[in-house]
Every structure is written in structure tokens, then in C-alpha cells.
């Protein structure tokens, strides 16, 4: 029986959960994720868990934050004057925003605090600082 090895293209169904059991993403209601390993498209712990799996194999893994989205980095928080926001936005804690970098690419932010004159934006990945649990089922090796 064939097993997944580095650089294979695989199809996998997954359900991602926080350690508390709260589901944050799942492919079960859509097509399985298809990805080529070794291309940097997956968090390291997810990719390494797929290696040596066989088609139809299922397993549950826990990925430490270091192998997922890393620690929350204080330097990714920034204060922004409310006057820098478009007039159409009423900022609220938890709201997501998208900003443009100097090179034209986009970056996602989350508002963590709203004050009289400024807001605090967080550019950390929303799952940074958390260990993650994934239920995996390998569908195919291509």
C-alpha cells in the first residue's frame, strides 16, 4: 500500500479545532483539500502529519503552536489614529480590516481595542499562540 512521502500531491479531509473543541475550519462540507507537500502551503505540523499516511487512513493530531502559527508577537500590534480609517467604518473590537502594504500586497488585521482617538490593530494570525487539533482523513495520493 502506497504511503505519502515528501513532495507528493495529496487530497485530505480535515477538521481543525482549538484544544477546547471549538471547530475553526473543516473541509467535510466541501471538496477535500488538495495540496502538494513541500511547497510551504501548509503549517509545518499539518504537513508532517500527512507523511506516511495511507489512503483511507484517519488520525487525530495535536499541533503545538510552534508548528502551527507560532507565538503571538507583540511587535505585530500597532496603534492607528481613527482619522486614518475611512469615514464609512465604525471600528469595533474583533472586526477584521485589510490594509495595503507599500508593495501593493494586502495584509489582514483585527481590531483589538477601540479608544477615543485611536484603535489597536493586531496583524498576528488569528490562531497564533494556540495549539491546534486536526482530524485527518487521507483521500488520495496523486
Amino acid at each position: 500500500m502506497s504511503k505519502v512521502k515528501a513532495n507528493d500531491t495529496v487530497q485530505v479531509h480535515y477538521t481543525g479545532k482549538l484544544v477546547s473543541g471549538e471547530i475553526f475550519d473543516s473541509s467535510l462540507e466541501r471538496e477535500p483539500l488538495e495540496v502538494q507537500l513541500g511547497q510551504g502551503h501548509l503549517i509545518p505540523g499539518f504537513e508532517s502529519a500527512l507523511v506516511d499516511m495511507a489512503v483511507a487512513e484517519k488520525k487525530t493530531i495535536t499541533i503545538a503552536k510552534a508548528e502551527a502559527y507560532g507565538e503571538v508577537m507583540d511587535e505585530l500590534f500597532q496603534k492607528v489614529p481613527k482619522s486614518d480609517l475611512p469615514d464609512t467604518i465604525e471600528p469595533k473590537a474583533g472586526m477584521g480590516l485589510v490594509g495595503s502594504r507599500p508593495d501593493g500586497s494586502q495584509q489582514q488585521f483585527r481590531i483589538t481595542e477601540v479608544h477615543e482617538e485611536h484603535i489597536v490593530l493586531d496583524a498576528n494570525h488569528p490562531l497564533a499562540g494556540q495549539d491546534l487539533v486536526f482530524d485527518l482523513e487521507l483521500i488520495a495520493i496523486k
Side-chain angles (χ1 to χ4, degrees), residues 78-82 85 91-92 97 111-115 117-121:
Q78 62 185 32
K79 285 172 53 170
V80 175
K82 278 186 175 178
L85 297 175
K92 294 182 177 19
L97 296 175
I111 298 173
T112 58
E113 298 175 30
V114 177
H115 299 276
E117 298 294 323
H118 72 274
I119 61 172
V120 177
L121 296 178

Side-chain angles (χ1 to χ4, degrees), residues 60-86:
T60 299
I61 59 165
T62 299
I63 302 174
K65 58 188 160 197
E67 290 293 308
Y69 294 99
E71 296 286 349
V72 172
M73 295 186 284
D74 291 338
E75 62 269 22
L76 294 181
F77 288 85
Q78 62 185 32
K79 285 172 53 170
V80 175
K82 278 186 175 178
S83 60
D84 285 359
L85 297 175

Side-chain angles (χ1 to χ4, degrees), residues 29-142:
E29 299 298 319
R30 57 184 189 261
E31 294 294 315
L33 171 67
E34 183 171 308
V35 65
Q36 182 180 2
L37 303 184
Q39 304 301 304
H41 298 296
L42 299 172
I43 58 175
F46 190 105
E47 184 163 323
S48 64
L50 294 172
V51 174
D52 289 330
M53 283 185 73
V55 173
E57 182 178 347
K58 294 179 180 185
K59 68 180 176 181
T60 299
I61 59 165
T62 299
I63 302 174
K65 58 188 160 197
E67 290 293 308
Y69 294 99
E71 296 286 349
V72 172
M73 295 186 284
D74 291 338
E75 62 269 22
L76 294 181
F77 288 85
Q78 62 185 32
K79 285 172 53 170
V80 175
K82 278 186 175 178
S83 60
D84 285 359
L85 297 175
D87 293 338
T88 57
I89 294 178
E90 180 62 38
K92 294 182 177 19
M95 177 186 282
L97 296 175
V98 177
S100 295
R101 294 184 178 115
D103 67 2
S105 64
Q106 295 187 329
Q107 180 165 5
Q108 295 186 353
F109 299 93
R110 189 172 34 89
I111 298 173
T112 58
E113 298 175 30
V114 177
H115 299 276
E116 187 71 32
E117 298 294 323
H118 72 274
I119 61 172
V120 177
L121 296 178
D122 177 5
N124 284 286
H125 188 281
L127 296 173
Q130 300 193 57
D131 296 336
L132 306 176
V133 177
F134 283 92
D135 297 326
L136 303 175
E137 179 182 6
L138 187 66
I139 304 301
I141 303 170
K142 295 190 162 196

